[in-house]
Amino acid sequence: MRVSGLLHLAAVLSLAVAVEAVKREDFKTCEQSAFCLRHRRFAEEIAQAPGWPSGGGGSGSGSGLSARSASPYSVVDGSVRLEQHTLVALVSHKDDQVPLRFEVSFLASGTVRVRAQEEEPLAPRFDDTQRYTLRDEGRALPYALLEDLRLTSTTAGGAAVHTVNYTTTTGDGAGALSVRITERPWSLTLLRNDKPAIQLNSRGFFRFEHLRSKPDGDVPDGEWEETFRTWTDSKPRGPESFGLDVSFAGCQHVYGIPEHASPLSLKSTRGGAKDAYDQPYRLYNLDVFEYEIDNPMALYGSVPLMLAHSAEATTGVLWLNAAETWVDVAHEKTSTIGSLFRREEPAVVTHWISEAGVMDVFLFPGPGVPDVYKQYAELVEQTPLPRDFALGHHQSRWNYLDEADVLSINDRMHEHDIPYDVVWLDIEYTDGKRYFTWDAAKFPAPAAMQDRLARDGHQLVVVIDPHIKRDPEYRVWAEANDRGFFVKTADGAGNFQGWCWPGDSAWIDYFNPDAARWLGEQYGLAKFNGSTASLFVWNDMNEPSVFNGPEISMDKDLQHHGGWEHRAVHNLYGMLYHQATANGLRARQSPALRPFVLSRAYFAGSQRYGAIWTGDNAADWAHLRASVPMILSNNVAGMHFAGADVGGFFGNPDAKLLTRWYQLGVWYPFFRAHAHIDTKRREPWLMGEPYLTHIRDAIRERYRLLPYWYTLFREASLTGMPLVRPMWVEFPGEKSLFAEDKTFMVGPAIMVAPVTDPDPMLPVEVVFPLQENWYDMKTHEMYNGPLTRQISAGLGDMLVFARGGSIIPTRERRRRSATLMRRDPFTLYVYVGRTGTASGKLYVDDGESYDYEGGAFIERELSFAKARLVSRPSARTASPPSAAQAAFSKRMAAVRIERVVVVGLRNPLTRATIRENGDERTVELGYRGAKVDAECVIRDPAVRIGNDWEIVLS
Ligand code: NOJ
């Protein structure tokens, strides 16, 4: 049931134009979401029962393993058995007769998967999240074989305990892994070297609402029908939610589960801690205008991946569920009485609550950060290599008005010597928000406009939203309607109608594969009139945003393909739209070129389809600061290609804020300036001097480092490692950095300390970790870590430091765009570490095709030791080279290293001997910088990037 569409639309639109705080009342709290409230209350009761394992403040007794919670759920006697690679157990509640089937399986790299649902459900539960997220739709996961599992059963304290010891491919570092299941009450512990790492139901919060028939007469409140404001959810299936505690023994910090505008290290949401939130973190994709900072409210995307970290180990959990999910976090200390003294063991206890679907949980044992990402990447494909232009500077605004406006942006960028790759068009370019059309008065010749941009080396991105205007004259609506491709009403009888930008709209049901394919076909060059191969796409409003729907989204009882309720699939909707678009762009050319699609909504696995951004932020200093933990949390959760609107979406930044935002934005993986329709124009040249110069300098720094960024993307695509990294990821033993979320690393080699305060005299505290040298990237001034320094940054300065021991590839010729740099020579920066050594990588391919999959790339390992710089092929380079690789190397034969800069050499050296392909030549070294020995330059060694070579300094 919905309120009058127009009324609500008016309310939402007024929100869209005013810079004011979020309308909290539009969105549910846990108390207003009946299933969340039931589980939270249950957990509170359990926690109050005698014998609960932890007192939250440290007064409890017993370590998690031997703990006995008051959980009413136990393993059914005699039900534990091994079936192929899976340990099966039946679990039931002491008061009911509905056994749950638990399946525990073990993956090659050490991951443990735990699934649960009714042994004989009354109706199927939605179980396709795995299809949409996991590699090969989850069908071909590398499970450990039965012979690799050793099951032993014993009795401890009157309860049966089953232990599976298993072997992994992670290598010796993983230690001995085992899983222990206690029967009464049930709990599961993943142990490394016999020490608990991750525990399930050790706190007894597990609660499973089995499917049931609707009772006659009165039904419990919120179980069969639930009303929020003016909307009533009919809930025809009744209650079907479940909750579980997942504890990370020995940890004080957990991270991830974006998207929230909250600190990187997740705060407590219960347990009475100081500074705790009173609401759980919510995962439910929503369109939240002017979102609040430091708040666990749901935002546009949801990735149910959490990492836990201590100085000893990193572990993780993937809660594979796409329904509305809430996560409570509590930081606890459990006292254990050892033989000699009492010990305080920290633990983070999390409580996950989902409304529908099957319970499907993956536990990643680590123990290192790269191990956790390897384990995640074994399940979920990681970010593919983007088009090279996508790493450049994107200029957007709601809206560039017409063709002349677009071309004038292009001209001004050139005139002011600002490199940029893409200009963006927001919703106003269309004919009345009918996507795949153009406003003919403002854009009479869109293809010619794109050709003109393309000739200058630039691309165009246009927004294509998921709502389809209900208009029989509109081909897209008529075709989708004829084919029955729209999301259906709760009774399945008609198409769901709601309000969005075009007014009365319908939404394509991407769970119907034919509908998804059909949408992809709309991107065909012949089909999408006025599009060219240099047009790319922005998918916005795909949470989905429905202006007159509950919480500005779809009613949960709507029907999708296969009869599934929206409730079960909500968090997948945006990803499937993103996927359909990316597939469509990929298919529009043969051979295929890589697509570029930006999406606002996302889920675990969305990284496969393109970039995401943090939605409608505001032009203020607090939002500038908040963008860092938000983008880091996304990177921790595998959403690598993430950015925030540079300048802030709502409101007008002054020139100083805008300058600082560019100086931070050039370090976002996705770097786009964007602004609300009601804001003043704010392109860099409108700011005047000195701001224009500072902004231009920052953008040039982005372009100079594109080879480093591209190499990082290559690594992320293979390893899943974040591109921008919290400090703890690079310095896993430095406890003081575990909660740091102002300073961050870009890859392993660059540390960024953003200036996020208006007062330039206010120094920024920079911590230089480890016994290592750090070099200011601009001045090359050296800092000897470990060191904490207060550094003031003039308005033209970014506080960015290269880590000693790194080699960073750059391209320093000034170009208008990334695509115009493809044949440019490289400059290598060798930042000598404490031990006199350095290493790095360089990855190059054609930047647009999929030929790299057949080996058409150059990937080099660069190392510097004993004054000798060496370039060798990476281990991923085939030897002898494949035909594709040889062809690519030939194509790049003229691309050379035009300069090597060695920073931090202790002894002044005078000559460089260059050896390549059996040739040897010697050049004189030059020096620059104030200190003679600080920066030594080898001018034009002219070695080819595809060749083996060495440069020896003497
Ligand atoms: C909402 C998006 O978040 C914003 O970036 C965009 O400008 C507007 N929709 C209009 O399309």
Side-chain angles (χ1 to χ4, degrees), residues 733-753:
E734 299 286 310
K735 288 188 180 162
S736 61
L737 296 176
F738 289 178
E740 173 60 45
D741 62 7
K742 295 187 194 75
T743 304
F744 61 96
M745 298 291 295
V746 175
I750 295 177
M751 177 168 75
V752 180

Side-chain angles (χ1 to χ4, degrees), residues 443-474:
F443 294 89
M449 177 184 76
Q450 290 158 60
D451 289 344
R452 162 75 205 285
L453 292 173
R455 273 200 304 280
D456 285 348
H458 305 294
Q459 331 290 322
L460 180 77
V461 167
V462 298
V463 79
I464 304 272
D465 284 355
H467 42 259
I468 309 286
K469 185 176 172 67
R470 288 189 70 239
D471 170 2
E473 303 292 305
Y474 174 31

Side-chain angles (χ1 to χ4, degrees), residues 47-190:
Q48 257 134 49
W52 198 67
S54 170
S59 59
S61 65
S63 78
L65 241 195
S66 56
R68 286 283 171 272
S69 69
S71 167
Y73 289 89
S74 295
V75 174
V76 174
D77 280 349
S79 69
V80 172
R81 59 191 186 275
L82 276 173
E83 278 180 14
Q84 298 182 347
H85 51 65
T86 304
L87 184 136
V88 176
L90 297 183
V91 167
S92 70
H93 187 283
K94 65 180 171 45
D95 297 332
D96 66 38
Q97 304 299 317
V98 182
L100 305 171
R101 179 184 159 96
F102 270 63
E103 295 173 354
V104 184
S105 44
F106 304 82
L107 284 134
S109 66
T111 302
V112 177
R113 182 179 197 180
V114 182
R115 287 168 52 82
Q117 60 179 317
E118 296 89 340
E119 192 189 18
E120 290 170 4
L122 274 189
R125 284 177 175 264
F126 181 73
D127 195 14
D128 278 350
T129 307
Q130 54 177 335
R131 258 188 64 201
Y132 297 117
T133 290
L134 301 182
R135 282 184 190 273
D136 305 317
E137 304 192 344
R139 285 199 252 268
L141 296 182
Y143 287 110
L145 301 172
L146 187 57
E147 54 265 31
D148 293 333
L149 307 176
R150 277 158 293 131
L151 171 66
T152 50
S153 301
T154 54
T155 309
V161 178
H162 308 276
T163 306
V164 176
N165 293 293
Y166 64 104
T167 45
T168 79
T169 54
T170 307
D172 298 340
L177 292 175
S178 57
V179 161
R180 217 167 273 177
I181 297 172
T182 56
E183 284 203 345
R184 201 167 302 272
W186 87 269
S187 70
L188 180 149
T189 304
L190 170 61

Side-chain angles (χ1 to χ4, degrees), residues 189-198 312 345:
T189 304
L190 170 61
L191 303 101
R192 185 181 315 100
N193 299 329
D194 271 338
K195 267 189 70 180
I198 310 177
E312 284 73 44
E345 269 279 301

